Amino acid sequence: MTLDTILELIKLNGRVTSQIITDLIDDNSTRATVMENLYERYKTETDGVPIFDRYYDDTAKINNQLNNDFFSEIVDTKTGYMVGVPIVYETDPESPDFEEFQLRNRLDDLDAETVKMASICGTAARLLYVDVDGKHRVMRVNPWECIWVWDRSIDEVQFALRYYLVEYVGSSGQTENKVRVEWYDKDSVTFFIESVNGYVLDDTELENPKPHMFDFIPLIEYPNNDERIGDAEKVLSLIDAYDRKESDFDSELEQWRLAYMKVLGAEITAEDAEEARHTGAFNLPEGADVAFIEKNINVAALDSHLNRLEANILRFSKSVNFSDQEFTSDISGESRKYKLLSLENKCIVAERKFSASNQRMFKVLASSPGFNLDWLNVTQKFTRNLPVSLEKDAQILATLKGIVPDEILYSLASFIDDPKEVIKMMDEQKEKEMSYYPPVNLEEDEEDGADN
């Protein structure tokens, strides 16, 4: 069922129906399963990593299962590089409500977790709400539990749905797992619960539907890109190939301990082999010999293949290996920029999507009664997380001092997060230094000069 059809049906019925909810969840099920599996893989759960599910019918064959976790390396590298340095938010005019919102909701940590989840699953989600104390809160929710109904003609979300399993106590007192649905429109949230007849209103809610205290949909999507593809999705087959080759090689090395023996000039019984296992020696007739059958493994070819796989994994995921010797050595700033170009380009796309979603969040937040915020004048400053060269920054500051405005000058220094605050501190320091000197009375100096 298309989004346009869903919008027409809701408009026709005047409300959402059980069938519409069922169709939305069914249509979303495939992608929801993919996203959940990607998250399980990031956590390296047994069911999430394919190599952990590999088995052989021959139980005597060694089957080592090594997970080379490129997946989380790609995600964590992008997250650390993009928001390892917290985003700086500024409001004009200053908004004490927004400053409290940042602190209360630990926005620095929430930003990092949101970027991480979008990198894993291709999209992330946040839910704004007003708590029992009347405070404005925001929480991260699982993206596979969320569905947004867009009106493509105006590029706006008209409805949103969140669904998840809960323990529900029925009329008989028995507890069972059921799907609970939160249906959001621009004014309120309606709660449904799964039943034998589809989805019905949840009678455990005292007020249903109830106002969510905003003028817009408070469930916000944070896409990683337009296609909503995770950063490691395109290289999963390469990662799996690397795991198989590494696991096979490790198994082969261990299998050497169980290598076949050849016996020349004698016949060895099972009892002879068992005795040799304990004594470490065979009693052979003259002229007989025992030796292992050697296994020839082309280690150079294997290393070359693994290196090519690793290079392709990093290349096609647009990631880098910061522990590589080229990064740990003292390379020039320009060389480093070129090595980071693919990662930087990927982060630029993600940054724009993240900023746009944040603006939607600010818009929803500002629509709540009593929350003072000019959402159009909230600025977001992203700073890449790279090793700081204080000597280079000092040279830049000294060279451009007096040539460019101080606010621009200090923004170029990697160790300064808030140029305005630095300028304020500098002014206060100057005033303090001036207070050490007694005031000069120019009139007395002129009179003294006249008398002389």
Side-chain angles (χ1 to χ4, degrees):
M1 185 182 297
T2 66
L3 295 179
D4 291 337
T5 304
I6 290 173
L7 288 173
E8 287 298 323
L9 287 174
I10 294 174
K11 193 177 298 183
L12 183 65
N13 290 280
R15 61 181 180 84
V16 67
T17 64
S18 174
Q19 188 60 50
I20 291 174
I21 293 174
T22 301
D23 289 341
L24 282 171
I25 293 176
D26 287 347
D27 289 346
N28 188 60
S29 61
T30 300
R31 183 57 192 172
T33 300
V34 170
M35 287 192 286
E36 197 164 4
N37 289 341
L38 289 170
Y39 187 55
E40 292 298 306
R41 180 160 186 158
Y42 176 81
K43 295 189 297 180
T44 64
E45 297 288 348
T46 302
D47 295 336
V49 182
I51 193 66
F52 292 156
D53 286 335
R54 188 177 73 167
Y55 69 96
Y56 295 130
D57 292 333
D58 183 1
T59 57
K61 187 174 183 180
I62 292 178
N63 180 23
N64 291 336
Q65 299 166 330
L66 305 183
N67 172 38
N68 297 271
D69 198 12
F70 288 103
F71 189 101
S72 64
E73 179 77 7
I74 291 167
V75 171
D76 293 343
T77 296
K78 188 261 193 76
T79 304
Y81 179 70
M82 181 175 163
V83 288
V85 177
I87 302 169
V88 176
Y89 297 98
E90 292 185 357
T91 59
D92 184 22
E94 291 186 4
S95 172
D97 289 345
F98 184 71
E99 291 178 6
E100 180 187 349
F101 175 81
Q102 283 185 262
L103 294 173
R104 185 178 299 279
N105 294 283
R106 299 180 292 276
L107 205 55
D108 291 351
D109 179 64
L110 182 62
D111 286 341
E113 289 300 311
T114 303
V115 170
K116 183 184 80 175
M117 187 60 77
S119 178
I120 295 170
C121 299
T123 194
R126 290 180 182 178
L127 177 63
L128 284 166
Y129 65 99
V130 179
D131 65 18
V132 293
D133 297 322
K135 302 299 183 182
H136 293 82
R137 306 297 300 272
V138 60
M139 60 181 281
R140 184 185 62 78
V141 296
N142 296 325
W144 53 86
E145 298 174 350
C146 301
I147 303 172
W148 291 269
V149 180
W150 289 77
D151 185 343
R152 298 300 179 187
S153 64
I154 57 175
D155 195 32
E156 287 288 343
V157 176
Q158 300 300 302
F159 304 98
L161 180 152
R162 181 185 175 210
Y163 62 104
Y164 47 92
L165 283 176
V166 295
E167 287 188 352
Y168 188 83
V169 181
S171 57
S172 62
Q174 292 183 335
T175 301
E176 56 183 323
N177 289 328
K178 289 191 174 185
V179 176
R180 190 171 195 250
V181 172
E182 300 173 5
W183 177 263
Y184 292 91
D185 58 29
K186 292 183 178 180
D187 302 310
S188 59
V189 53
T190 307
F191 300 95
F192 296 88
I193 196 72
E194 184 182 16
S195 74
V196 292
N197 298 318
Y199 291 92
V200 298
L201 290 174
D202 187 351
D203 56 11
T204 62
E205 290 290 331
L206 297 178
E207 186 179 8
N208 194 14
K210 69 178 181 181
H212 52 55
M213 308 304 292
F214 302 98
D215 291 341
F216 306 96
I217 306 297
L219 189 63
I220 316 294
E221 183 185 17
Y222 282 74
N224 193 44
N225 44 56
D226 271 345
E227 296 74 26
R228 289 160 176 78
I229 296 176
D231 288 315
E233 277 193 74
K234 293 183 178 180
V235 295
L236 292 180
S237 61
L238 293 175
I239 296 174
D240 292 341
Y242 194 104
D243 285 349
R244 290 194 300 269
K245 298 299 182 296
E246 189 84 352
S247 298
D248 289 343
F249 181 66
D250 189 70
S251 297
E252 191 68 25
L253 289 177
E254 189 168 336
Q255 196 80 34
W256 277 3
R257 295 187 299 109
L258 306 177
Y260 292 109
M261 288 187 299
K262 62 179 180 180
V263 180
L264 302 176
E267 184 176 343
I268 301 297
T269 65
E271 289 77 10
D272 294 333
E274 184 63 27
E275 183 179 354
R277 187 186 299 275
H278 295 287
T279 63
F282 284 101
N283 185 14
L284 298 175
E286 185 177 354
D289 187 28
V290 175
F292 282 106
I293 299 175
E294 293 185 4
K295 298 181 179 181
N296 295 320
I297 299 177
N298 192 335
V299 177
L302 176 66
D303 285 343
S304 177
H305 183 59
L306 291 178
N307 289 337
R308 175 61 63 86
L309 283 173
E310 180 177 355
N312 285 345
I313 290 169
L314 296 177
R315 175 187 173 190
F316 297 125
S317 66
K318 297 180 176 60
S319 189
V320 295
N321 181 6
F322 280 111
S323 63
D324 190 275
Q325 185 177 359
E326 293 179 335
F327 280 100
T328 56
S329 61
D330 189 19
I331 61 176
S332 68
E334 290 301 315
S335 297
R336 180 174 292 168
K337 285 181 181 179
Y338 282 112
K339 292 183 180 298
L340 291 171
L341 186 59
S342 294
L343 175 61
E344 178 64 28
N345 289 338
K346 180 173 68 173
C347 287
I348 287 173
V349 173
E351 180 182 319
R352 288 171 180 165
K353 297 299 180 185
F354 191 92
S355 297
S357 296
N358 259 350
Q359 283 186 319
R360 291 191 183 95
M361 184 184 74
F362 301 150
K363 179 181 178 179
V364 177
L365 193 59
S367 72
S368 181
F371 196 93
N372 184 20
L373 175 67
D374 184 355
W375 68 274
L376 288 172
N377 287 320
V378 180
T379 61
Q380 308 171 55
K381 180 187 176 184
F382 291 77
T383 303
R384 299 293 183 252
N385 186 21
L386 283 171
V388 175
S389 174
L390 295 179
E391 181 180 358
K392 181 180 177 182
D393 286 346
Q395 291 174 352
I396 293 174
L397 293 176
T399 303
L400 297 179
K401 182 66 175 176
I403 299 176
V404 299
D406 285 349
E407 187 172 342
I408 296 177
L409 176 66
Y410 293 135
S411 69
L412 299 175
S414 56
F415 60 89
I416 295 178
D417 294 329
D418 190 345
K420 289 184 178 179
E421 183 64 24
V422 171
I423 293 173
K424 180 180 177 182
M425 293 171 62
M426 294 287 287
D427 291 340
E428 291 174 353
Q429 180 176 322
K430 289 179 182 178
E431 291 180 3
K432 187 175 181 180
E433 291 174 351
M434 292 298 294
S435 66
Y436 294 151
Y437 299 95
V440 178
N441 192 325
L442 297 178
E443 294 182 356
E444 290 182 1
D445 289 346
E446 292 176 355
E447 291 176 0
D448 292 341
D451 292 341
N452 293 332

